[in-house]
Amino acid sequence: MRRARRPPDLHRVGVANAKYNEPMLAAERPYVGRFAPSPTGPLHAGSLVAALASRLDALAHGGRWLLRIEDLDAPREMPGAARAIVETLARLGFRNDAEIVFQSRRHDAYRQAFDRLVAGGHVYPCGCTRREITDSMSSRSRTFAGAEKPYPGTCRHGMPPGRSARSWRVRVGPTPLHWVDRRAGPRVDRLDEQVGDFVLRRADGQWAYQLAVVVDDDAQGVSDIVRGADLLDSTARQLHLRLLLGMPAPRHLHVPVLVGPDGSKLSKQTGAPPIDASRPIDALDAALQALGLGRIGREPLDRWWSLATDRWAQAEAPCSETARSIRDEPRALHEPTDQPKCAAGVPDQADPPPPKEAGSSPPDASAPPRGTENPNSTRPGSSASTKTEPRCARTN
């Protein structure tokens, strides 16, 4: 069994208004990974890519892999979806190493963390509506990159007279937050410029995703977070909360997300079809190819997982080595770093040709020859359960 590597330290992380000067750094601890889907629909190809990456990384490190159902948003939850997700994962050979956690049963834990932040002066009530925030930002001459505009701080020093709290926000400061993604490399985020003070409890009384995921990851002892690159921008917010709550920092790896023909993320909301669990190897191979590791083909399910784990471990090694060197040398966070080609969709060499399978589809003639495709996207290969012909969108 391989010993888990220590997650990278967060060098020079600072938080305005915090009552400490340095973060609580994670000591070396056993590897614990997780997959945390929302039950807004059945498992689809995009979710399977993230699930596969998280479990392969756990297996490659000789660690534990946990399953958590993030069912806090009841209005968006599809009846029976949680059970369907669990059953589909089981039929594909996923084996969680502890009891499944449901966020809907953990309100007390979120309340305790929230109360600690309130007691520390890090949280304040906000009476702003979304329309008011949008109007406030539109009246400013400054333009912002991306779709999200930072909260202008209207209620930061107190709500206007006659207003009642619609949400509760956590304060952020101007200090840059430095962290390392195992694939994307060093990151520097300025939460005050990117998102501003962000919501921890919503206007409808529901706990925000950012708080719930931090509390649950810490309670479950998660050491490594492997998930889709669409959540890359959430990481700084979660690390900020960890610092305020005195929690150790996990290691992060964000893998490519599948996108449809129109370039939008493949999701339940965009009509992504459910995984066909009656053909587990086909579904798993499509997800493995989306991660840049080729296809394995017709093998017994246990054998498939063993071979896939070996491929992941071999391809992931350069990323872990670079992350470790960055952790050990703080200057690397402020200097250009040679980025390795990592397991998450950027193999060092061309993928080996997939084995010929009985009944398999011929190669996609519309796909460009290897080496001529757009470096920011690639086709993961056809899948019997995917009709939208998704491709993989990369973060670098």
Side-chain angles (χ1 to χ4, degrees):
M1 179 179 294
R2 294 175 58 185
R3 190 177 184 184
R5 299 187 181 98
R6 179 185 174 190
D9 296 343
L10 298 179
H11 294 291
R12 295 185 56 197
V13 175
V15 180
N17 303 316
K19 297 182 178 179
Y20 48 84
N21 296 321
E22 296 181 357
M24 178 180 179
L25 301 176
E28 189 167 354
R29 51 183 174 165
Y31 183 107
V32 179
R34 50 77 164 172
F35 175 56
S38 299
T40 54
L43 192 74
H44 60 82
S47 299
L48 180 57
V49 169
L52 181 62
S54 66
R55 185 162 191 254
L56 289 178
D57 201 56
L59 290 173
H61 284 82
R64 299 169 64 232
W65 182 79
L66 310 179
L67 179 60
R68 182 171 72 232
I69 303 297
E70 299 194 335
D71 56 346
L72 278 181
D73 198 346
R76 295 180 62 242
E77 183 176 349
M78 177 184 291
R83 179 177 178 178
I85 290 172
V86 172
E87 291 178 349
T88 298
L89 289 172
R91 294 182 69 182
L92 296 178
F94 287 83
R95 302 289 182 265
N96 47 297
D97 296 313
E99 183 178 355
I100 299 174
V101 170
F102 292 82
Q103 285 190 335
S104 58
R105 305 171 187 174
R106 291 185 46 76
H107 290 278
D108 288 346
Y110 310 143
R111 165 61 71 179
Q112 291 174 15
F114 179 80
D115 289 345
R116 288 172 57 194
L117 293 171
V118 171
H122 304 303
V123 175
Y124 63 88
C126 175
C128 298
T129 65
R130 290 185 179 180
R131 178 62 181 271
E132 289 170 336
I133 295 172
T134 300
D135 290 345
S136 175
M137 301 310 299
S138 298
S139 65
R140 302 186 179 193
S141 58
R142 180 182 175 188
T143 58
F144 300 93
E148 189 166 10
K149 298 178 175 62
Y151 175 66
T154 307
C155 298
R156 185 178 243 255
H157 303 293
M159 291 187 297
R163 289 294 186 97
S164 58
R166 296 178 56 84
S167 62
W168 290 77
R169 294 179 179 271
V170 62
R171 303 176 190 273
V172 303
T175 307
L177 195 153
H178 299 257
W179 61 280
V180 177
D181 182 88
R182 283 166 48 192
R183 178 176 181 273
R187 297 267 303 187
V188 181
D189 287 293
R190 280 284 302 271
L191 287 175
D192 61 322
E193 295 180 347
Q194 295 164 218
V195 296
D197 301 339
F198 56 93
V199 173
L200 292 188
R201 191 164 194 184
R202 299 185 338 209
D204 59 5
Q206 292 294 322
W207 301 109
Y209 162 77
Q210 308 294 355
L211 178 64
V213 72
V214 163
V215 172
D216 288 339
D217 281 341
D218 183 69
Q220 293 185 281
V222 172
S223 66
D224 287 68
I225 296 175
V226 179
R227 59 188 179 185
D230 55 315
L231 293 171
L232 192 69
D233 291 338
S234 290
T235 305
R237 277 172 269 194
Q238 293 163 16
L239 291 173
H240 178 72
L241 291 176
R242 282 178 170 273
L243 288 167
L244 295 179
L245 292 167
M247 297 174 177
R251 187 169 61 168
H252 291 87
L253 171 60
H254 292 85
V255 300
V257 296
L258 286 182
V259 296
D262 62 351
S264 62
K265 176 192 171 186
L266 198 66
S267 67
K268 307 175 186 77
Q269 290 72 30
T270 59
I275 291 294
D276 181 3
S278 68
R279 303 179 64 178
I281 299 301
D282 288 344
L284 290 168
D285 260 351
L288 190 68
Q289 189 169 19
L291 290 169
L293 298 178
R295 301 171 75 91
I296 291 175
R298 300 297 180 187
E299 293 282 355
L301 196 54
D302 289 345
R303 172 67 174 164
W304 188 96
W305 276 100
S306 177
L307 294 173
T309 301
D310 289 343
R311 286 194 187 184
W312 176 275
Q314 182 177 6
E316 184 269 345
C319 297
S320 294
E321 184 63 32
T322 296
R324 185 166 62 249
S325 68
I326 291 172
R327 179 201 70 205
D328 294 338
E329 179 48 75
R331 288 176 299 176
L333 290 175
H334 313 288
E335 299 172 355
T337 303
D338 293 333
Q339 296 300 315
K341 299 188 177 198
C342 305
V346 193
D348 283 327
Q349 300 176 349
D351 296 336
K356 295 182 179 180
E357 306 172 20
S360 62
S361 302
D364 184 356
S366 65
R370 181 171 293 276
T372 63
E373 64 267 22
N374 186 328
N376 293 317
S377 64
T378 185
R379 291 176 178 270
S382 61
S383 170
S385 62
T386 303
K387 300 178 181 180
T388 55
E389 295 184 358
R391 65 184 187 277
C392 218
R394 299 208 174 99
T395 58
N396 59 347

